[in-house]
Amino acid sequence: MRHFDFSPLYRSAIGFDRFAHLFDAAQLADAQPSYPPYNIERVSEDRYRIAMAVAGFDRSELDLESERDTLKIIGRKAKDEAAKTFLHRGIASRSFEHRFQLADHVKVVSASLDNGLLNIELVREIPDTLKPRKILIDDVTTVGAANDKVGFLNRQAA
């Protein structure tokens, strides 16, 4: 496995520490849990869906938490009181915790549990202040007339 040293980045760039942290986390992907299985789907340009197979879990056993740039999904399976004898056990029923790193301005908008699938809807909402805006170019004669009017109004107020 290849390891990257990001210390030069920390010395010369400000605000990119999250980016380096994401690279470090990606290198540890082998250590990430694979249970329960899930899909990440891009529904449209700014909409995403996480579908997680949580068969056997009740709504009361699932918790979703969104804090800053992290979505945390926790499944706590209640202890089964009755001892069961399985001839074959292929359905996992263990507790889990799964974390997803969310990009800037990505928010969880809803979650639903349907037929054993936990569906989490996400949307990227870029604030208006960060969106590109069109700047009109005024005509020189219009700008001159507007400046004359402002100057006239300022002289009147004085």
Side-chain angles (χ1 to χ4, degrees), residues 116-135:
L117 284 178
L118 175 63
N119 291 299
I120 304 163
E121 303 293 328
L122 303 115
V123 66
R124 180 182 328 155
E125 295 176 346
I126 300 173
D128 289 336
T129 56
L130 298 179
K131 290 181 182 176
R133 61 186 177 94
K134 190 154 188 124
I135 300 170

Side-chain angles (χ1 to χ4, degrees), residues 25-37:
Q27 289 179 341
L28 300 175
D30 295 337
Q32 294 295 323
S34 61
Y35 172 79

Side-chain angles (χ1 to χ4, degrees), residues 92-110:
S93 60
R94 61 184 181 266
S95 298
F96 67 89
E97 181 175 319
H98 214 300
R99 294 173 189 259
F100 294 93
Q101 288 296 126
L102 303 178
D104 292 337
H105 313 296
V106 172
K107 296 180 178 145
V108 178
V109 291
S110 67

